[in-house]
Amino acid sequence: MPSHRYRPARERVEVRTEGGRHWPSRRIEHAPLWVPVDLRDGNQALAEPMDPARKRRMFDVQVAMGFKEIEVGYPSASRADFDFVRHLATSGAVPDDVTVVVFTAARADLIERTFAATEGMPRAVVHLYTATAPVWREVVIGRGRAELRALIEESATLMARLADRRPGVRFEFSPEVFNLTEPDYVLEVCNGLTALWDAAPDRPVIHNLPATVEIATPNVYADQIEYMHRHLDRRDAVILSVHPHNDRGTGVACAELALLAGAQRVEGCLFGNGERTGNVDLATLALNLHTQGVDPMLDFSDIDGIRATVEYCNRLPVHGRHPYVGDLVHTAYSGTHQDAIKKGFEHHARRAAESGLPPAQAPWEVPYLPIDPADLGRDYEAVIRVNSQSGKGGIAYLLKDRHGLDLPPALRADFSRIVQAAADDSGEEVTAKELGDLFHAAYLAPAEHGPLTLADWQAVEVAPGRHEFTGTLDGGAGGRTLHGTGNGPLSALADGLARAGVPVHIEHYAEHATGPGPHSAAVAYVRIRAGESAWWGAGRDTSVLTASVRSVLAAVNRSLADGS
């Protein structure tokens, strides 16, 4: 790779850390002000920008989630954006506790059109931006430091004049490509605007510091933010905001470290849409806080519904492995993971019961699941899924959860070999329904469709501790009368089979109800030994005795089928 062509970040921008770093020892203990920019920045990154209906749908879901500032557009960029801002201004769609943000470049005609779009809005933030980094100044804008600052202040003065009679308007400034701008220059520009706009605690200015193109490790961005946090004038009248991008794949880390370094506000997109590799992902950031016990102040209790809206509006799919929201992020295929999750669910249920709390309120500690899927409106159906890599724990969990079958441990191992063979043969995932079908075919169906069938049977306790079993055994040369005695119905059945020439020894027996209530079916499991080998069978019926007899017959038929 021609790596010599690229300069490391330390050679491209000065990073000042005088006074030492304080951010590494801090913790995030409350949510920042979240500002979604899907309707502006994210919209600019779409091959097919949102039409008014999609914009409104995105806006409404962001309001419902609890966002209090929402960047709604770039009114001077297109008629569609201008008309959408006018729609919000005139339709009553903006709740009293929500402030819209509109975006403009530092040019008089664009600023005037932006203010025209927001006419009638009781609250608005006008967001002014200009690229300030040396390469942008030299290559794109063609102005030196002093000239560019004069241009910015000229635009800021016009904004102040236009807002003179609109007390609900506040100001935001973004020195675009902040992370590649000389720290003394960006501080000079920002402090100048703080004074020009006469920022005060009750009417603060927002200084938004973007990592417009991510060029360094996240700790560098944190150092840059902490420098600004320490040196900004009228700090109590400034809201320090960040807008990380994701060019190096560390946008979320940049945002989290920036919060440690003094940032109070984060701009980004739901699920990270944006130019190149995207803006920072607000959903991931917010739910990261949630998993640390910090209320993100946003409602993700229907994350699948939110994702459906975002996918519809953006015409972009959310990846199956996307943090928190992807179809597969709560899913385990690995056998060891499945076994740990199954045991974790059982442990969580026991702890909740012992504490008297509902499971949804009990402290969450389940292996491999950093968040309870139910917090996001997910059920547990997709948590454990089976393929050729899966083990008996995951298979047992799905059989119990979806089919009410709680297999004995040795039967789990026996059945897992059948599932493994099926998965290897197909090369595909085995669904919960297919697991039920496989279990039925292997262990339940042989009772009805094997070499031997049992008709007109009955089991009677003829004396305390003495049972007789009678019936008609069909198979082979014809029907035979079956008669046996024993200390229980199954031992009497085994005795009758032995007298009929089918010697079996019952090694293990278990039974349980498949659901609550007196009318739920029972399932019985039995393992028999005949000669050197052992076979499992199962039976299911509303009668425990019938289920037990069927389980024995199923095991016998499996042994006969294998022997033949």
Side-chain angles (χ1 to χ4, degrees), residues 292-345:
Q292 300 302 304
V294 176
D295 187 348
M297 306 302 289
L298 294 173
D299 183 0
F300 284 95
S301 61
D302 180 19
I303 201 166
D304 288 334
I306 295 167
R307 182 184 70 178
T309 295
V310 172
E311 288 181 325
Y312 168 79
C313 293
N314 287 346
R315 303 285 198 259
L316 291 173
V318 173
H319 195 279
R321 296 290 183 189
H322 196 105
Y324 300 112
V325 68
D327 283 334
L328 300 174
V329 296
H330 306 299
T331 299
Y333 287 104
S334 160
T336 54
H337 289 205
Q338 291 175 342
D339 185 60
I341 291 170
K342 173 182 177 292
K343 291 173 180 175
F345 276 148

Side-chain angles (χ1 to χ4, degrees), residues 19-99:
R21 295 178 174 90
H22 294 172
W23 61 262
S25 60
R26 294 188 181 132
R27 293 182 296 173
I28 303 173
E29 297 180 333
H30 59 84
L33 175 60
W34 307 108
V35 184
V37 297
D38 301 81
L39 292 167
R40 191 276 301 174
D41 195 337
N43 194 44
Q44 290 174 280
L46 299 176
E48 182 189 339
M50 288 179 252
D51 57 29
R54 285 154 62 201
K55 274 180 167 281
R56 178 60 191 271
R57 185 166 171 179
M58 179 77 82
F59 178 80
D60 287 345
V61 81
Q62 291 176 346
V63 168
M65 292 174 66
F67 287 103
K68 300 307 178 187
E69 277 189 22
I70 301 173
E71 191 167 82
V72 298
Y74 194 159
S76 62
S78 69
R79 186 178 66 185
D81 268 29
F82 183 89
D83 289 347
F84 180 68
V85 177
R86 291 308 304 147
H87 163 73
L88 295 180
T90 58
S91 65
V94 183
D96 291 341
D97 61 346
V98 172
T99 299

